[in-house]
Amino acid sequence: NNRKTPNRSNRKMSKSMKSRRRPRTNPSESTRTSRIQNANKAEQRNRQSLFSNRPTNSKSSNSTTASEAQKIQKSLMKTQHLLKNELDRVSNISHAIEEDENVLQQTMDHHKSLNTKQAQTALTSLQR
């Protein structure tokens, strides 16, 4: 039991070990970051598929352009729907917070209106 454990701060790290060390992050933070990165990658793939491999033929080009416009419109409609849902959610949360604030204010006002001085006097007389 008298074995000395090496102190971590005394250990020397090689340059390669230092470069491999990752900063400590909150697991939920790293999950959120990875979700954002995945969404960004998916959006980039979507953009690449929309704007790559355009044919040079004018008839084909027109139909491809129309198809791409429909895809963009569909994407914008999805985005608008998501933003509307998020706005509704935030609005509901804001409303709930305002209601809670009102309840807390009423409770505080009620507690302030109580005559605690008389209650303290009565309690003191009961203790005697």
Side-chain angles (χ1 to χ4, degrees), residues 99-121:
E99 287 178 352
D100 290 348
E101 178 186 11
N102 290 337
V103 169
L104 288 171
Q105 184 65 43
Q106 290 172 358
T107 304
M108 185 175 73
D109 293 344
H110 177 72
H111 283 204
K112 284 181 178 179
S113 71
L114 296 175
N115 192 348
T116 56
K117 188 147 194 124
Q118 286 180 351
Q120 182 66 35
T121 307

PDB file of all heavy atoms in Angstrom, residues 99-121:
ATOM      1  N   GLU A  99     -47.086  33.393 -17.337  1.00  0.00           N
ATOM      2  CA  GLU A  99     -48.082  32.908 -16.364  1.00  0.00           C
ATOM      3  C   GLU A  99     -47.405  32.556 -15.040  1.00  0.00           C
ATOM      4  O   GLU A  99     -47.922  32.888 -13.967  1.00  0.00           O
ATOM      5  CB  GLU A  99     -48.826  31.698 -16.917  1.00  0.00           C
ATOM      6  CG  GLU A  99     -49.814  32.031 -18.005  1.00  0.00           C
ATOM      7  CD  GLU A  99     -50.495  30.793 -18.562  1.00  0.00           C
ATOM      8  OE1 GLU A  99     -50.095  29.658 -18.221  1.00  0.00           O
ATOM      9  OE2 GLU A  99     -51.435  30.963 -19.354  1.00  0.00           O
ATOM     10  N   ASP A 100     -46.283  31.883 -15.114  1.00  0.00           N
ATOM     11  CA  ASP A 100     -45.546  31.522 -13.894  1.00  0.00           C
ATOM     12  C   ASP A 100     -45.094  32.771 -13.148  1.00  0.00           C
ATOM     13  O   ASP A 100     -45.137  32.812 -11.916  1.00  0.00           O
ATOM     14  CB  ASP A 100     -44.337  30.644 -14.228  1.00  0.00           C
ATOM     15  CG  ASP A 100     -44.733  29.256 -14.693  1.00  0.00           C
ATOM     16  OD1 ASP A 100     -45.913  28.895 -14.548  1.00  0.00           O
ATOM     17  OD2 ASP A 100     -43.856  28.533 -15.204  1.00  0.00           O
ATOM     18  N   GLU A 101     -44.668  33.776 -13.891  1.00  0.00           N
ATOM     19  CA  GLU A 101     -44.239  35.027 -13.272  1.00  0.00           C
ATOM     20  C   GLU A 101     -45.410  35.655 -12.506  1.00  0.00           C
ATOM     21  O   GLU A 101     -45.236  36.126 -11.377  1.00  0.00           O
ATOM     22  CB  GLU A 101     -43.730  35.995 -14.336  1.00  0.00           C
ATOM     23  CG  GLU A 101     -43.311  37.343 -13.774  1.00  0.00           C
ATOM     24  CD  GLU A 101     -42.953  38.344 -14.857  1.00  0.00           C
ATOM     25  OE1 GLU A 101     -43.219  38.095 -16.043  1.00  0.00           O
ATOM     26  OE2 GLU A 101     -42.429  39.418 -14.483  1.00  0.00           O
ATOM     27  N   ASN A 102     -46.587  35.646 -13.104  1.00  0.00           N
ATOM     28  CA  ASN A 102     -47.768  36.201 -12.441  1.00  0.00           C
ATOM     29  C   ASN A 102     -48.119  35.443 -11.172  1.00  0.00           C
ATOM     30  O   ASN A 102     -48.440  36.046 -10.137  1.00  0.00           O
ATOM     31  CB  ASN A 102     -48.968  36.223 -13.395  1.00  0.00           C
ATOM     32  CG  ASN A 102     -48.804  37.236 -14.502  1.00  0.00           C
ATOM     33  OD1 ASN A 102     -48.061  38.196 -14.366  1.00  0.00           O
ATOM     34  ND2 ASN A 102     -49.484  37.013 -15.610  1.00  0.00           N
ATOM     35  N   VAL A 103     -48.051  34.112 -11.227  1.00  0.00           N
ATOM     36  CA  VAL A 103     -48.342  33.299 -10.038  1.00  0.00           C
ATOM     37  C   VAL A 103     -47.335  33.589  -8.935  1.00  0.00           C
ATOM     38  O   VAL A 103     -47.705  33.759  -7.763  1.00  0.00           O
ATOM     39  CB  VAL A 103     -48.347  31.795 -10.403  1.00  0.00           C
ATOM     40  CG1 VAL A 103     -48.376  30.931  -9.163  1.00  0.00           C
ATOM     41  CG2 VAL A 103     -49.523  31.474 -11.305  1.00  0.00           C
ATOM     42  N   LEU A 104     -46.066  33.672  -9.287  1.00  0.00           N
ATOM     43  CA  LEU A 104     -45.036  33.963  -8.289  1.00  0.00           C
ATOM     44  C   LEU A 104     -45.219  35.351  -7.684  1.00  0.00           C
ATOM     45  O   LEU A 104     -45.053  35.547  -6.475  1.00  0.00           O
ATOM     46  CB  LEU A 104     -43.641  33.836  -8.904  1.00  0.00           C
ATOM     47  CG  LEU A 104     -43.186  32.415  -9.217  1.00  0.00           C
ATOM     48  CD1 LEU A 104     -41.901  32.441 -10.017  1.00  0.00           C
ATOM     49  CD2 LEU A 104     -43.019  31.611  -7.948  1.00  0.00           C
ATOM     50  N   GLN A 105     -45.580  36.320  -8.512  1.00  0.00           N
ATOM     51  CA  GLN A 105     -45.811  37.679  -8.019  1.00  0.00           C
ATOM     52  C   GLN A 105     -46.991  37.696  -7.050  1.00  0.00           C
ATOM     53  O   GLN A 105     -46.925  38.329  -5.989  1.00  0.00           O
ATOM     54  CB  GLN A 105     -46.073  38.635  -9.195  1.00  0.00           C
ATOM     55  CG  GLN A 105     -46.220  40.084  -8.786  1.00  0.00           C
ATOM     56  CD  GLN A 105     -44.936  40.665  -8.213  1.00  0.00           C
ATOM     57  OE1 GLN A 105     -43.855  40.432  -8.750  1.00  0.00           O
ATOM     58  NE2 GLN A 105     -45.035  41.385  -7.118  1.00  0.00           N
ATOM     59  N   GLN A 106     -48.069  36.996  -7.381  1.00  0.00           N
ATOM     60  CA  GLN A 106     -49.232  36.926  -6.489  1.00  0.00           C
ATOM     61  C   GLN A 106     -48.872  36.256  -5.165  1.00  0.00           C
ATOM     62  O   GLN A 106     -49.289  36.707  -4.093  1.00  0.00           O
ATOM     63  CB  GLN A 106     -50.378  36.174  -7.160  1.00  0.00           C
ATOM     64  CG  GLN A 106     -51.018  36.925  -8.298  1.00  0.00           C
ATOM     65  CD  GLN A 106     -52.014  36.069  -9.067  1.00  0.00           C
ATOM     66  OE1 GLN A 106     -52.205  34.895  -8.768  1.00  0.00           O
ATOM     67  NE2 GLN A 106     -52.646  36.671 -10.083  1.00  0.00           N
ATOM     68  N   THR A 107     -48.085  35.197  -5.239  1.00  0.00           N
ATOM     69  CA  THR A 107     -47.663  34.500  -4.017  1.00  0.00           C
ATOM     70  C   THR A 107     -46.804  35.408  -3.157  1.00  0.00           C
ATOM     71  O   THR A 107     -46.991  35.477  -1.933  1.00  0.00           O
ATOM     72  CB  THR A 107     -46.881  33.220  -4.381  1.00  0.00           C
ATOM     73  OG1 THR A 107     -47.703  32.411  -5.216  1.00  0.00           O
ATOM     74  CG2 THR A 107     -46.476  32.447  -3.150  1.00  0.00           C
ATOM     75  N   MET A 108     -45.881  36.127  -3.775  1.00  0.00           N
ATOM     76  CA  MET A 108     -45.026  37.040  -3.022  1.00  0.00           C
ATOM     77  C   MET A 108     -45.860  38.152  -2.390  1.00  0.00           C
ATOM     78  O   MET A 108     -45.663  38.487  -1.214  1.00  0.00           O
ATOM     79  CB  MET A 108     -43.953  37.650  -3.939  1.00  0.00           C
ATOM     80  CG  MET A 108     -42.941  38.520  -3.195  1.00  0.00           C
ATOM     81  SD  MET A 108     -41.608  39.108  -4.248  1.00  0.00           S
ATOM     82  CE  MET A 108     -42.471  40.325  -5.218  1.00  0.00           C
ATOM     83  N   ASP A 109     -46.803  38.711  -3.134  1.00  0.00           N
ATOM     84  CA  ASP A 109     -47.669  39.753  -2.588  1.00  0.00           C
ATOM     85  C   ASP A 109     -48.486  39.229  -1.411  1.00  0.00           C
ATOM     86  O   ASP A 109     -48.649  39.918  -0.399  1.00  0.00           O
ATOM     87  CB  ASP A 109     -48.601  40.304  -3.675  1.00  0.00           C
ATOM     88  CG  ASP A 109     -47.859  41.070  -4.752  1.00  0.00           C
ATOM     89  OD1 ASP A 109     -46.679  41.439  -4.517  1.00  0.00           O
ATOM     90  OD2 ASP A 109     -48.450  41.283  -5.826  1.00  0.00           O
ATOM     91  N   HIS A 110     -48.992  38.024  -1.532  1.00  0.00           N
ATOM     92  CA  HIS A 110     -49.770  37.422  -0.444  1.00  0.00           C
ATOM     93  C   HIS A 110     -48.907  37.223   0.799  1.00  0.00           C
ATOM     94  O   HIS A 110     -49.325  37.528   1.912  1.00  0.00           O
ATOM     95  CB  HIS A 110     -50.371  36.091  -0.898  1.00  0.00           C
ATOM     96  CG  HIS A 110     -51.124  35.372   0.168  1.00  0.00           C
ATOM     97  ND1 HIS A 110     -52.352  35.801   0.628  1.00  0.00           N
ATOM     98  CD2 HIS A 110     -50.808  34.270   0.895  1.00  0.00           C
ATOM     99  CE1 HIS A 110     -52.765  34.982   1.589  1.00  0.00           C
ATOM    100  NE2 HIS A 110     -51.838  34.030   1.764  1.00  0.00           N
ATOM    101  N   HIS A 111     -47.706  36.728   0.612  1.00  0.00           N
ATOM    102  CA  HIS A 111     -46.811  36.505   1.762  1.00  0.00           C
ATOM    103  C   HIS A 111     -46.412  37.812   2.420  1.00  0.00           C
ATOM    104  O   HIS A 111     -46.270  37.884   3.634  1.00  0.00           O
ATOM    105  CB  HIS A 111     -45.574  35.732   1.319  1.00  0.00           C
ATOM    106  CG  HIS A 111     -45.838  34.277   1.115  1.00  0.00           C
ATOM    107  ND1 HIS A 111     -44.865  33.332   1.199  1.00  0.00           N
ATOM    108  CD2 HIS A 111     -46.980  33.597   0.818  1.00  0.00           C
ATOM    109  CE1 HIS A 111     -45.377  32.140   0.972  1.00  0.00           C
ATOM    110  NE2 HIS A 111     -46.662  32.274   0.725  1.00  0.00           N
ATOM    111  N   LYS A 112     -46.235  38.850   1.613  1.00  0.00           N
ATOM    112  CA  LYS A 112     -45.900  40.153   2.187  1.00  0.00           C
ATOM    113  C   LYS A 112     -47.063  40.727   2.988  1.00  0.00           C
ATOM    114  O   LYS A 112     -46.860  41.468   3.946  1.00  0.00           O
ATOM    115  CB  LYS A 112     -45.488  41.137   1.081  1.00  0.00           C
ATOM    116  CG  LYS A 112     -44.108  40.911   0.544  1.00  0.00           C
ATOM    117  CD  LYS A 112     -43.773  41.941  -0.522  1.00  0.00           C
ATOM    118  CE  LYS A 112     -42.364  41.768  -1.052  1.00  0.00           C
ATOM    119  NZ  LYS A 112     -42.055  42.766  -2.096  1.00  0.00           N
ATOM    120  N   SER A 113     -48.278  40.400   2.570  1.00  0.00           N
ATOM    121  CA  SER A 113     -49.452  40.954   3.246  1.00  0.00           C
ATOM    122  C   SER A 113     -49.725  40.265   4.590  1.00  0.00           C
ATOM    123  O   SER A 113     -50.470  40.798   5.413  1.00  0.00           O
ATOM    124  CB  SER A 113     -50.688  40.845   2.343  1.00  0.00           C
ATOM    125  OG  SER A 113     -51.093  39.493   2.232  1.00  0.00           O
ATOM    126  N   LEU A 114     -49.161  39.098   4.800  1.00  0.00           N
ATOM    127  CA  LEU A 114     -49.368  38.407   6.080  1.00  0.00           C
ATOM    128  C   LEU A 114     -48.693  39.192   7.194  1.00  0.00           C
ATOM    129  O   LEU A 114     -47.601  39.718   7.032  1.00  0.00           O
ATOM    130  CB  LEU A 114     -48.806  36.983   6.021  1.00  0.00           C
ATOM    131  CG  LEU A 114     -49.476  36.038   5.033  1.00  0.00           C
ATOM    132  CD1 LEU A 114     -48.720  34.715   5.003  1.00  0.00           C
ATOM    133  CD2 LEU A 114     -50.926  35.810   5.397  1.00  0.00           C
ATOM    134  N   ASN A 115     -49.345  39.233   8.334  1.00  0.00           N
ATOM    135  CA  ASN A 115     -48.799  39.963   9.464  1.00  0.00           C
ATOM    136  C   ASN A 115     -47.917  39.004  10.262  1.00  0.00           C
ATOM    137  O   ASN A 115     -48.382  38.323  11.173  1.00  0.00           O
ATOM    138  CB  ASN A 115     -49.929  40.535  10.321  1.00  0.00           C
ATOM    139  CG  ASN A 115     -49.412  41.539  11.332  1.00  0.00           C
ATOM    140  OD1 ASN A 115     -48.205  41.643  11.550  1.00  0.00           O
ATOM    141  ND2 ASN A 115     -50.316  42.270  11.945  1.00  0.00           N
ATOM    142  N   THR A 116     -46.659  38.959   9.928  1.00  0.00           N
ATOM    143  CA  THR A 116     -45.748  38.023  10.579  1.00  0.00           C
ATOM    144  C   THR A 116     -45.329  38.494  11.961  1.00  0.00           C
ATOM    145  O   THR A 116     -44.932  37.687  12.801  1.00  0.00           O
ATOM    146  CB  THR A 116     -44.489  37.817   9.712  1.00  0.00           C
ATOM    147  OG1 THR A 116     -43.886  39.073   9.464  1.00  0.00           O
ATOM    148  CG2 THR A 116     -44.844  37.153   8.400  1.00  0.00           C
ATOM    149  N   LYS A 117     -45.450  39.781  12.229  1.00  0.00           N
ATOM    150  CA  LYS A 117     -45.064  40.302  13.539  1.00  0.00           C
ATOM    151  C   LYS A 117     -45.996  39.737  14.614  1.00  0.00           C
ATOM    152  O   LYS A 117     -45.549  39.317  15.686  1.00  0.00           O
ATOM    153  CB  LYS A 117     -45.099  41.829  13.544  1.00  0.00           C
ATOM    154  CG  LYS A 117     -44.527  42.444  14.800  1.00  0.00           C
ATOM    155  CD  LYS A 117     -43.863  43.756  14.436  1.00  0.00           C
ATOM    156  CE  LYS A 117     -43.006  44.204  15.594  1.00  0.00           C
ATOM    157  NZ  LYS A 117     -41.655  44.419  15.213  1.00  0.00           N
ATOM    158  N   GLN A 118     -47.311  39.710  14.340  1.00  0.00           N
ATOM    159  CA  GLN A 118     -48.263  39.157  15.304  1.00  0.00           C
ATOM    160  C   GLN A 118     -48.031  37.659  15.475  1.00  0.00           C
ATOM    161  O   GLN A 118     -48.135  37.132  16.583  1.00  0.00           O
ATOM    162  CB  GLN A 118     -49.699  39.413  14.851  1.00  0.00           C
ATOM    163  CG  GLN A 118     -50.134  40.849  15.027  1.00  0.00           C
ATOM    164  CD  GLN A 118     -51.578  41.062  14.558  1.00  0.00           C
ATOM    165  OE1 GLN A 118     -52.179  40.182  13.961  1.00  0.00           O
ATOM    166  NE2 GLN A 118     -52.093  42.248  14.850  1.00  0.00           N
ATOM    167  N   ALA A 119     -47.726  36.979  14.384  1.00  0.00           N
ATOM    168  CA  ALA A 119     -47.465  35.542  14.472  1.00  0.00           C
ATOM    169  C   ALA A 119     -46.223  35.276  15.308  1.00  0.00           C
ATOM    170  O   ALA A 119     -46.202  34.340  16.123  1.00  0.00           O
ATOM    171  CB  ALA A 119     -47.298  34.963  13.075  1.00  0.00           C
ATOM    172  N   GLN A 120     -45.209  36.078  15.180  1.00  0.00           N
ATOM    173  CA  GLN A 120     -43.972  35.923  15.952  1.00  0.00           C
ATOM    174  C   GLN A 120     -44.265  36.147  17.434  1.00  0.00           C
ATOM    175  O   GLN A 120     -43.789  35.395  18.293  1.00  0.00           O
ATOM    176  CB  GLN A 120     -42.906  36.895  15.456  1.00  0.00           C
ATOM    177  CG  GLN A 120     -41.569  36.768  16.172  1.00  0.00           C
ATOM    178  CD  GLN A 120     -40.896  35.433  15.886  1.00  0.00           C
ATOM    179  OE1 GLN A 120     -41.002  34.910  14.797  1.00  0.00           O
ATOM    180  NE2 GLN A 120     -40.237  34.885  16.878  1.00  0.00           N
ATOM    181  N   THR A 121     -45.077  37.167  17.742  1.00  0.00           N
ATOM    182  CA  THR A 121     -45.451  37.459  19.143  1.00  0.00           C
ATOM    183  C   THR A 121     -46.230  36.284  19.726  1.00  0.00           C
ATOM    184  O   THR A 121     -45.983  35.870  20.856  1.00  0.00           O
ATOM    185  CB  THR A 121     -46.279  38.756  19.212  1.00  0.00           C
ATOM    186  OG1 THR A 121     -45.571  39.802  18.554  1.00  0.00           O
ATOM    187  CG2 THR A 121     -46.572  39.155  20.642  1.00  0.00           C
TER     188      THR A 121
END
